[in-house]
Each structure stands twice: as structure tokens, then as C-alpha cells.
Amino acid sequence: MNNITAGIIGGLGHIGLIQAACLAELGYVTIAYDKDQNKFKKIHEKILPFQEPGLEELITKNMAKKRLSFTTNPESLSQAELIYICVNTSPLASGETNLSQVFSALNEIMELSPKKTTVAIKSTVPVGTAAILTKILAENNLAEDIKIVSNPEFLSEGSGVTDFWHPTRVVVGSDSRKAAEFVASIYSPPQVPVIITSSENAELIKYASNAFLATKISFINEIARFCERAGADIRVVSKGIGLDPRIGTDFLEAGAGFSGPCLEKDLKSLIFQAEMYHEKPILLKSVLDINEQQRKNIVKKLENSLGRLERKKIAVWGMAFKPETDDVRSSHSLPILKHLLSMGALVTVHDPWVRSPEQTGIAENELPEISWSASPYGAAENKDAILILTAWSDYRKLDFSKIKNIMSNPLIVDGRNMFDPEKMQSLGIKYLGVGI
Ligand code: UGA
């Protein structure tokens, strides 16, 4: 067993729980602290707060080995030499990042009266946050005992555990080189570049990474619109440009746009931060605009084929913001559904992992009169169109001749370009993708 005790604040959130389970698997005694009593109760009943491939096995194994424990009491972290802050940093209405949970985490750490503790910030925080925390520590005469390190995470939902084991890089930023090296030493596989730098650089690397990924997606979506006009196929164009190693093939899939709890939030925050410095983030704002437009365009495709959507029966396949997750936070499906409802469409939803309105975490009156179906076939029955919003691989295994026969009008609008238009056409299905 490893000799270091690690603490996690926000230990039952997406970042915190993966971090906790993987640290325990590495052999560190890991204490995951979270204020949420409900999640705490459930994890002891073996119910995870979210689904993530490979996570449950790690948690079960490491709890049994007594390397991983959960607590709702911050005092349990008093023996931790290293504490990760993994709390939520959602934006305020103004666009400014809400750092209240980060500050409250720091207060909890200060109240532990720790000696020689390193605090690694995993949450995505605006540039300058680590420096503010260091200043607070200095004002409380704790700057010698507690060192702050910015250690952004680059895990993607749905592959978070795999991403933990195979990082593309490890970034640690601090004004204490020793503390930064300590955090980097916790898990930096050989051959993986380690960047030891200032906390400002580390914080900005995180925002710029997500903003760049979002930019690639909006770029390809803009080219996709051009393809539709010019009779080209974005999938071929995307492959053709991505094979240039300077461009790369990843994140060049056109569709209904990016969504989820990270890319959009971080892009908005970066825009807000740039504007605070009186900069004009023209490109970043366009990336957001294109993404918004992409969501509207997908509904326009339905209208172009069906006319007015009032009383039209639409099956929506996919609520999660991407496959292999049950996360609906900031999913593009929500605004698209609202748009459909505002036009009077009658909507039936299917998602293999999101099966009820409660799971979406949004009030029922926000999405009124939606029906839920346990199967994609059930959702498609007697519908005027299917709208695909999440690229669940299970949809590829379906019998589309059967689907054609059970629909009242065989139209598929595919916001994820999952299928071959010619094959669909040969089955008698009108198939509209994005940029094809
Ligand atoms: C993103 C980043 O990819 C991670 O590196 C980062 O650590 C994470 O945010 C975070 O900040 O925590 P994630 O939000 O889990 O990860 O999801 P992505 O895989 O980035 O997908 C985001 C959205 O973009 C999804 O809606 C997806 O469908 C869409 N997308 C992705 C496309 O529309 N086209 C693509 O080519 C790729």
C-alpha cells in the first residue's frame, strides 16, 4: 500500500469520484468527502451517483480493500497529506464562475489546522484562482503549511476511468516547485509529458484546451452547412482534412453541436474572463453562435420536411449529452426538446440510460407533455419523424425495415450522422444527416 493519504473534496461528483477510485486503485489510502448526504447513503447501497464505465468495479474493490472510504465529515481529511478540490464550479447568471464551493473547500481545509498539506485544484477555475487561494492562506498565516497546486483534469465523461490511466499530459502549476512535483509524482505514467509551470498557465491550459475542442466542432459544423449547399459530404471532407497530422481527425464530427457540462461552460467562462480584461474574444463567441445555430438547424430540417410541427409526432432518440453517460447536464437535447414543444410538436423520448424525467434533473413543468419510451421501437411507433440526438451504439443494431413499417411517415433526421443515407434510402426511409 502506498504511504500517502489522499483526501478528495467533492468526492461524489464526476471528477472527484473517478479521482478517488483511481487513486485508491493505485494504492493510496483515499478518503472521499462530500457534503451530499443522499449520494453518501446511496454509495453505501452500491448505487453510484452517475454511470461511468469501469467505475463501479474500482469502487467495490477498493472499498473492500479498505483503501477507499467515503465521508460527509470534513474532519476525516485531517490526516491527508494531499487534498484534491473537485467541487462544482458552475457559472452564475452573469457568466462569472461561481467559486463559492472552492472557497468553502479552502475554509474546510484551513479549519483542519493541517501541517504540510498540498492542495491540488482539479475543478476548472478561472485564471488567477490558485493565486487568490494562496493569498488567503498567507492572510491566515498558513502559506507555509498549505501549498496550492493547479492540476487540471482532462477526463472525458464516458471514458473517464480509461482517460485517468492513459493521460495525454500531466499539468501542474504552482509557485512551489516542490508541491507541483509532489502532485505530478502521484500518477505520471512513463512517456507521458509532464508540464510543471505557473498556476496561471495551468489554469489557462485547461480553458484553452476545451475552447479549442469546441472550436474544432464549430469549424466542422460550419463547413457541414457549406457541404449541404454545395452537394458535398462532410464525412469525407472531415476525413480528408483530418488526415493532415497538423489538423488531426479527432473532434471533427459534424452534428447537432457540442454540449454537456464542460465545453460550453468553459467556453463561456473564457469569454467572460477575456472581456474582464477588455479583450474581444471574437473567435470564441462565433464558436458559441455556430453551436446555437446548429441546434436550430436540426429542428429546421424537420420543418422543411414536415411543414408546421404543430401536432406532429416526433420520436427523439437520445437525451444524454453524449453516449456512454447518463449525464443530461447542459445536454443539447434539452433546448432542442423545448424548441420542439414550443412549436406544438408531440414528443416521445428514448434514451438507453436516461429513462425518466427525474433523471434529467429538470422540473417536469419545464418539459411538459413529453412521453417516455423504454425502447427505440416504442418511441418510433406511429411517428412522423425520428430525431437522433445522441449517438448510442445500440441504435446501430436496430432493424430499420421494422422501423420503417411502424412509423406513420418514415423520416429520420440524424443529428449525429450515424447511418449511411443510401442504405436508409434503399429501405424507403427519408434520411437527413448534417452536412451530407
Ligand atoms: C470535455 C473534454 O473533451 C475533456 O478533455 C475535458 O476534460 C472535459 O470536457 C472537462 O472539462 O471535464 P466531455 O465534456 O466529457 O469532455 O465530452 P466531449 O467528449 O468533449 O464531448 C462534448 C460534446 O461535443 C458532446 O456533445 C459531443 O457529442 C460533441 N462532439 C464531440 C461533437 O459534436 N463532435 C465531435 O467531433 C466530438
Side-chain angles (χ1 to χ4, degrees), residues 270-290:
L270 188 55
I271 291 170
F272 184 89
Q273 293 174 59
E275 287 178 341
M276 290 299 283
Y277 288 114
H278 308 290
E279 287 298 330
K280 289 196 175 77
I282 302 161
L283 173 65
L284 301 182
K285 283 185 158 181
S286 303
V287 171
L288 263 185
D289 288 348
I290 293 168

Side-chain angles (χ1 to χ4, degrees), residues 359-405:
Q359 254 184 290
T360 63
I362 47 168
E364 228 166 301
N365 60 358
E366 268 197 83
L367 287 180
E369 292 164 33
I370 282 192
S371 309
W372 290 75
S373 177
S375 89
Y377 293 112
E381 209 167 340
N382 295 324
K383 296 302 182 300
D384 297 309
I386 295 171
L387 176 60
I388 304 178
L389 294 180
T390 313
W392 285 104
S393 57
D394 282 1
Y395 294 152
R396 292 203 171 87
K397 298 176 197 147
L398 298 173
D399 175 350
F400 279 90
S401 328
K402 177 174 167 185
I403 285 180
K404 191 226 161 211
N405 290 331

Side-chain angles (χ1 to χ4, degrees), residues 15 124 153-158 206 210 213 217 220-221 250-263 266 321-323 332 416:
I15 310 171
T124 303
E153 59 84 24
F154 301 104
L155 312 180
S156 292
E157 286 190 27
K206 171 68 191 188
N210 275 0
L213 293 174
I217 298 169
I220 206 67
N221 281 333
D250 289 343
F251 276 67
L252 286 182
E253 277 175 31
F258 58 83
S259 71
C262 306
L263 294 196
D266 292 351
F321 83 94
K322 65 176 198 180
H332 57 294
R416 293 294 163 205

Side-chain angles (χ1 to χ4, degrees), residues 179-249:
E181 281 174 354
F182 172 54
V183 174
S185 74
I186 293 297
Y187 184 60
S188 302
Q191 319 300 329
V192 172
V194 177
I195 298 181
I196 297 185
T197 184
S198 69
S199 54
E200 288 80 5
N201 285 344
E203 288 160 340
L204 190 51
I205 286 169
K206 171 68 191 188
Y207 280 104
S209 298
N210 275 0
F212 192 77
L213 293 174
T215 303
K216 281 189 94 174
I217 298 169
S218 279
F219 171 84
I220 206 67
N221 281 333
E222 187 158 277
I223 302 293
R225 288 184 208 164
F226 185 84
C227 285
E228 286 177 14
R229 301 276 177 202
D233 184 334
I234 193 63
R235 294 165 306 173
V236 182
V237 174
S238 175
K239 187 173 175 193
I241 60 175
L243 286 172
D244 181 334
R246 293 171 301 175
I247 296 173
T249 48

